[in-house]
Amino acid sequence: MGNLLYHISIRRFNPLFGENCIIVSSNPDYDFLGCTRVEDIIPNKGPLGGIYTGLKYSKTKMNIVVSVDAPLVTTELLQWMFSKHSNYF
């Protein structure tokens, strides 16, 4: 189970997001990952519905949305993005 994409992504990004990590899924099998799991507010709307749900449940002003099937998104990339955000707001 340790090599599944979602497990790799959570392990990679959880240090950055901590308690602000949200997984949008109706599958309770993801609960062991330690993130808040929520189900789609509007079911059957695909990735956009999942993004909408994640943003509605988010408690932060700024958010990063990462698909678990994007393994080339690294912790370093997200840290770089965080370091540059103040240049654009």
Side-chain angles (χ1 to χ4, degrees), residues 26-45:
S26 60
N27 188 342
D29 290 346
Y30 297 128
D31 291 347
F32 81 96
L33 293 168
C35 295
T36 300
R37 183 183 58 83
V38 297
E39 295 190 26
D40 282 315
I41 293 171
I42 306 170
N44 304 315
K45 296 299 178 190

Side-chain angles (χ1 to χ4, degrees), residues 22-71:
I22 297 173
I23 296 175
V24 180
S25 175
S26 60
N27 188 342
D29 290 346
Y30 297 128
D31 291 347
F32 81 96
L33 293 168
C35 295
T36 300
R37 183 183 58 83
V38 297
E39 295 190 26
D40 282 315
I41 293 171
I42 306 170
N44 304 315
K45 296 299 178 190
L48 285 179
I51 293 169
Y52 172 79
T53 298
L55 292 174
K56 290 294 276 186
Y57 277 94
S58 175
K59 297 175 184 166
T60 61
K61 181 178 179 181
M62 293 177 37
N63 295 273
I64 297 282
V65 177
V66 180
S67 172
V68 296
D69 60 355

